[in-house]
Amino acid sequence: MNRAITYEPEERIFHIAGKTFSYILQIYREGYLAHIHWGRKIRSYNGTKGLRFMDRGFSPNPDPEDRTFSLDTLPQEYPAYGNTDFRVPAFRVEFPDGSTVTDLRYKGHAIFAGKKALEGLPALYAEEGDHVETLEVTMEDTLLPLRVVLSYTVFKDHDVLTRSARIVNGSGETLKLLDALSVNVDFRKDGFDMLQFSGAHIRERHLVRRSLEMGQTSIESRRGASSHQQNPFLVLVEKGTTETQGEAYGINLVYSGNFIGQAEVDQFHTTRVSMGINPFEFSWMLEPGEAFQTPEAVLAYSGEGLGALSRTLHKAYRQRLARGRFRDKERPVLVNNWEATYFDFDQEKIYEIAKMAASTGIELMVLDDGWFGKRDDDRRALGDWTVNGEKLQGGLDALARRVRDEGVQFGLWFEPEMVSEDSDLYRDHPDWCIHVPSRNRSTGRSQLVLDLTRKEVRENVVEQVRRILAGAPITYVKWDMNRHMTEVHSLSQPPDRQKETAHRYMLGLYEMMEVLTGEFPHILFESCSGGGGRFDPGMLHYMPQTWTSDDTDAVERLKIQYGTSMAYPAVSMGAHVSEVPNHQVHRTTSMKMRGDVAMAGNLGYELDITKSSEADLEAIREQVSFYKGIRGLVQFGDLYRLASPFEGNETAWMFVSEDKRAACVFWYKVLGAPQEPFRNLRLEGLEEGADYTVTASGGEMPPLRAGGDELMGVGIPLPMLEGDFKSCAFLLEAKA
């Protein structure tokens, strides 16, 4: 097996090689760790991108005898603050004397097969037979025994690189960590565009592309969660990069809390990009001998456009981020009662929904909010995870068994991180929420955030959830979180550690998820935060799918799902058909389009199926049957985006099997127009020499036969569908 990581001692060069990329570092001069190259793979590095310097005014010099060398112009791997580099640092620590100057130099390195787990944090993992190698570079301050261990792991089979840093206090004094980012890359050029994925609740992960100009461009969350507003993912692209051509550099943080991603173009037209825990309101007291582990960042490169970058991330996340028995298993078609009943239901209503669902082929009934405590609205009972006996007179176990007897699995909604002021838990433990004792406790959705930094709080919640899950045949859990953090303060921490609260919360949450998902491996967990407010790799490590957005409108979902797909695979996206007029935007779309949009993720329904017309019931039966036939393609195939909803009236994407013998294409048109032209849709990802049969699922056009080269070079003719909100699905099968 060829080594993926090599070290050339004479030149002091590290070369990390994926399938399509090279990542090269160099130990320069007296131990400075410099970044040489990240991009297109090269066989070997022979100095073509050697470091060059000149006397630059106002860039100070560490060595008074050499006015050409300055850290201000050195492309660094993990830049610190205060020692001649004025750009944004990745690392900053405050010493007992109040100074924040560090001088990290190379101390040693190790190269080994496999990958170490990150203590208490989600991360990509290696399995037996993987070609995975790790480089650890140890840097140490020149004054104090403060070490930073930079970790680089290449997953050669999956073509991604992961990075993180472990900061170790080897001194005898307590240090205060102020900045601890996970990744920094210094490009010796500018001219990039930056792609970010921004929005709001019910408008998540819209694609935003902007040119990087001189100065700093950033995305961040200060909400205690990765957030609806920004996603911990960014892509730098060369000008002109499209889905199918050009260079793209993606960075995604495996973390669910406060983060920052930033790009800085400096005076010399170089670009520094970095990502990690947001330094805003963050610090960490590092006692003698203690270490701080940063979250992991995933780096992916494509020289063939954004589509190839996405497919690289999708495969890595499906196979080496998600875990458990559902990782490689097709996900069930479900019906959720939320938009059907909200809080107004009883056990007979839920049973009737499940019974009707069974007649359509739906496989899972999910009981959403309102089944516990005295929960008749969203103002009370969070934290009281006991069955509401007035609604469910026979209890959860009896209801779940009745549902199961109809041939349908049973799932349940929780919001374990929250507490209502009107709850027994809050009345018994009013100090268990995150709050500042002397100040007002602001609420969101009439609820407060439980302080998961405290062991007793975590244990109480875990025990309540454990008791419910063990007491009924439950096979699915939707784990929700509907409030961001304010008044961030914990009674478990002394004053000088209060800025650790947000990160300690995440460590506590990850611990709870590790325990519960480990104890109930037969349960499919889906994460949620008002829909897509915590759609990030950290959550996908514990829960292999996420409710993509509370917005179920088919038109809005085109942009949401398109943007989400830039980093996250279709199998991670919960997507439901809901009632019309839609409850979020009050738009009326066809059952056909709603189904075609939802089938591009994990298909579900969120409507009162007992009140559906016979025509709608028949449409649901047809959709469920069709989806079960393509489910493996959608959930585990390669995704190709063909037309962007951010660029026009139409959207299209397709899923292709690994052997390229089968594919499914979805095409959507939002608004009708007069005198529309006849057009073809060019496909991608097929085998050029294979011949395919193309069939429209709804009979919108007669079947055709064509070669893969023709379908990609010329395309398939699109049907002329009159009116607004139209869609079509095409099945492709290669002839034997």
Side-chain angles (χ1 to χ4, degrees):
M1 180 178 69
N2 294 330
R3 295 296 301 270
I5 302 176
T6 57
Y7 177 62
E8 300 171 16
E10 290 187 6
E11 299 296 327
R12 300 195 295 177
I13 295 286
F14 298 100
H15 189 162
I16 304 171
K19 283 197 296 187
T20 65
F21 73 86
S22 288
Y23 192 103
I24 300 172
L25 322 174
Q26 183 177 18
I27 305 165
Y28 185 69
R29 290 176 61 122
E30 298 84 16
Y32 299 104
L33 190 62
H35 178 80
I36 301 298
H37 171 74
W38 176 30
R40 190 178 301 275
K41 186 174 182 178
I42 57 179
R43 286 179 291 116
S44 62
Y45 173 68
N46 296 287
T48 51
K49 205 175 182 184
L51 299 171
R52 295 189 289 176
F53 300 93
M54 63 183 294
D55 188 351
R56 301 281 197 181
F58 289 90
S59 292
N61 316 112
D63 179 0
E65 302 301 319
D66 184 358
R67 289 180 51 170
T68 67
F69 177 70
S70 174
L71 298 184
D72 198 35
T73 62
L74 178 71
Q76 297 181 73
E77 274 299 296
Y78 203 68
Y81 172 77
N83 188 16
T84 78
D85 188 351
F86 295 101
R87 294 167 292 176
V88 63
F91 166 75
R92 195 161 55 103
V93 66
E94 182 178 302
F95 295 98
D97 64 0
S99 67
T100 56
V101 176
T102 54
D103 187 3
L104 296 177
R105 307 289 183 94
Y106 169 81
K107 189 71 175 180
H109 74 271
I111 300 173
F112 53 89
K115 182 178 188 288
K116 297 177 182 177
L118 301 190
E119 184 178 355
L121 287 166
L124 272 66
Y125 58 89
E127 288 192 342
E128 186 176 352
D130 287 352
H131 189 173
V132 174
E133 295 179 35
T134 297
L135 164 67
E136 288 186 345
V137 180
T138 299
M139 309 290 289
E140 187 169 282
D141 183 63
T142 55
L143 182 63
L144 291 173
L146 171 68
R147 299 190 306 279
V148 177
V149 182
L150 302 177
S151 178
Y152 303 78
T153 297
V154 57
F155 289 74
K156 194 160 187 179
D157 298 333
H158 294 82
D159 209 28
V160 296
L161 175 69
T162 65
R163 284 192 57 181
S164 66
R166 185 172 176 83
I167 301 159
V168 184
N169 181 7
S171 76
E173 300 180 284
T174 300
L175 308 179
K176 181 187 288 188
L177 193 59
L178 302 176
D179 294 89
L181 301 187
S182 298
V183 59
N184 182 92
V185 180
D186 281 359
F187 292 95
R188 279 178 275 171
K189 59 181 180 180
D190 62 354
F192 291 107
D193 286 347
M194 188 177 98
L195 274 62
Q196 64 190 67
F197 305 89
S198 306
H201 176 229
I202 68 173
R203 197 182 70 245
E204 296 88 350
R205 289 173 302 286
H206 280 209
L207 192 159
V208 178
R209 182 168 180 163
R210 51 177 163 163
S211 178
L212 292 184
E213 306 295 343
M214 190 169 289
Q216 190 167 324
T217 303
S218 66
I219 55 173
E220 62 180 331
S221 173
R222 299 182 293 273
R223 293 172 168 264
S226 49
S227 84
H228 308 81
Q229 289 71 23
Q230 305 290 352
N231 194 263
F233 176 55
L234 62 80
V235 187
L236 296 192
V237 295
E238 302 280 2
K239 297 291 186 184
T241 294
T242 66
E243 279 289 315
T244 58
Q245 65 181 13
E247 290 193 298
Y249 306 82
I251 302 177
N252 204 180
L253 191 65
V254 187
Y255 190 62
S256 310
N258 293 336
F259 77 91
I260 190 165
Q262 54 199 345
E264 180 181 13
V265 178
D266 76 354
Q267 58 186 327
F268 306 118
H269 299 281
T270 69
T271 305
R272 170 170 289 178
V273 59
S274 56
M275 185 174 285
I277 293 174
N278 197 333
F280 177 83
E281 287 296 294
F282 167 83
S283 66
W284 194 273
M285 303 304 293
L286 207 55
E287 302 294 341
E290 287 187 345
F292 180 86
Q293 175 65 57
T294 72
E296 183 166 273
V298 180
L299 283 68
Y301 164 80
S302 168
E304 299 177 346
L306 291 165
L309 180 80
S310 295
R311 289 186 289 276
T312 294
L313 289 171
H314 294 173
K315 182 179 178 182
Y317 290 171
R318 287 196 311 262
Q319 299 179 359
R320 293 299 177 267
L321 178 65
R323 302 177 299 167
R325 66 179 62 176
F326 292 97
R327 186 189 75 176
D328 304 319
K329 187 176 181 180
E330 291 184 0
R331 311 293 166 75
V333 180
L334 65 83
V335 61
N336 184 298
N337 74 297
W338 178 240
E339 290 192 17
T341 67
Y342 293 102
F343 295 101
D344 185 17
F345 62 85
D346 58 20
Q347 63 186 14
E348 290 304 315
K349 181 62 178 180
I350 300 303
Y351 172 70
E352 290 301 321
I353 292 174
K355 185 177 179 179
M356 183 63 76
S359 72
T360 67
I362 290 172
E363 300 158 310
L364 170 65
M365 171 74 221
V366 179
L367 175 56
D368 210 281
D369 196 354
W371 59 265
F372 54 93
K374 298 178 181 178
R375 184 76 163 173
D376 296 320
D377 53 43
D378 63 6
R379 296 178 177 274
R380 69 200 80 249
L382 283 177
D384 298 340
W385 301 107
T386 56
V387 177
N388 184 319
E390 295 181 6
K391 294 181 179 181
L392 308 178
Q393 293 90 344
L396 274 178
D397 182 57
L399 174 60
R401 292 185 186 280
R402 285 184 74 192
V403 169
R404 192 176 63 176
D405 288 344
E406 295 294 332
V408 177
Q409 301 173 58
F410 185 76
L412 203 58
W413 177 96
F414 285 90
E415 194 172 358
E417 302 167 59
M418 302 293 155
V419 64
S420 304
E421 289 182 300
D422 184 1
S423 68
D424 292 339
L425 182 66
Y426 187 80
R427 282 185 282 271
D428 291 342
H429 302 284
D431 63 321
W432 275 15
C433 65
I434 287 178
H435 70 286
V436 178
S438 58
R439 293 193 179 275
N440 176 59
R441 303 184 186 190
S442 58
T443 59
R445 202 174 182 245
S446 299
Q447 62 196 49
L448 297 162
V449 183
L450 286 171
D451 186 355
L452 300 188
T453 72
R454 300 172 64 168
K455 182 179 180 181
E456 66 271 28
V457 176
R458 299 195 301 273
E459 289 179 344
N460 177 282
V461 175
V462 166
E463 181 53 36
Q464 288 197 69
V465 175
R466 177 189 287 128
R467 186 166 55 249
I468 294 292
L469 297 183
I474 295 166
T475 60
Y476 166 100
V477 163
K478 180 181 179 181
W479 182 304
D480 210 342
M481 189 278 277
N482 287 309
R483 187 202 191 287
H484 290 158
M485 292 185 190
T486 58
E487 294 88 41
V488 181
H489 186 277
S490 173
L491 298 185
S492 69
Q493 301 299 318
D496 61 351
R497 288 186 175 271
Q498 285 303 320
K499 291 186 179 181
E500 299 176 9
T501 300
H503 182 58
R504 287 189 182 275
Y505 179 96
M506 290 313 310
L507 296 178
L509 174 62
Y510 290 149
E511 177 190 288
M512 290 170 56
M513 290 182 167
E514 183 75 27
V515 169
L516 288 169
T517 59
E519 288 187 12
F520 298 95
H522 66 285
I523 292 178
L524 171 60
F525 284 83
E526 178 177 274
S527 66
C528 178
S529 175
R534 227 167 36 186
F535 202 131
D536 57 67
M539 300 307 292
L540 290 178
H541 183 69
Y542 301 98
M543 303 183 180
Q545 62 188 58
T546 299
W547 178 226
T548 313
S549 175
D550 278 347
D551 192 336
T552 55
D553 173 64
V555 175
E556 287 297 310
R557 271 300 186 106
L558 293 174
K559 290 183 177 180
I560 292 169
Q561 292 175 204
Y562 189 98
T564 302
S565 76
M566 282 288 174
Y568 307 108
V571 72
S572 69
M573 294 188 221
H576 296 178
V577 176
S578 64
E579 193 56 87
V580 291
N582 174 264
H583 290 195
Q584 290 79 49
V585 301
H586 311 288
R587 187 183 354 248
T588 298
T589 55
S590 68
M591 177 64 80
K592 166 71 171 164
M593 184 173 181
R594 282 176 278 157
D596 284 345
V597 172
M599 281 191 280
N602 294 328
L603 175 63
Y605 292 83
E606 195 150 333
L607 43 76
D608 191 347
I609 198 170
T610 67
K611 296 180 180 178
S612 295
S613 67
E614 187 53 43
D616 279 352
L617 285 174
E618 184 57 32
I620 291 171
R621 293 186 187 101
E622 292 176 0
Q623 288 172 358
V624 171
S625 176
F626 179 72
Y627 182 71
K628 288 178 179 178
I630 64 168
R631 178 161 49 184
L633 264 178
V634 171
Q635 295 181 0
F636 302 108
D638 290 330
L639 170 64
Y640 292 83
R641 293 179 293 266
L642 308 177
S644 170
F646 297 100
E647 297 176 0
N649 188 48
E650 298 177 10
T651 303
W653 47 54
M654 64 185 291
F655 301 90
V656 182
S657 64
E658 186 176 1
D659 63 6
K660 299 183 182 296
R661 306 296 291 174
C664 182
V665 180
F666 290 99
W667 170 72
Y668 314 92
K669 181 181 72 171
V670 176
L671 298 178
Q675 300 292 353
E676 292 183 294
F678 297 111
R679 292 184 301 102
N680 279 25
L681 178 67
R682 289 187 180 185
L683 307 185
E684 293 180 30
L686 303 176
E687 184 179 334
E688 288 194 0
D691 292 320
Y692 293 87
T693 299
V694 183
T695 307
S697 66
E700 293 88 349
M701 54 173 280
L704 65 85
R705 294 183 178 181
D709 53 349
E710 183 178 357
L711 292 171
M712 292 187 291
V714 179
I716 54 175
L718 293 172
M720 298 295 288
L721 302 178
E722 295 180 353
D724 300 336
F725 316 130
K726 299 298 182 179
S727 64
C728 189
F730 304 90
L731 279 178
L732 282 74
E733 293 186 22
K735 294 187 293 183

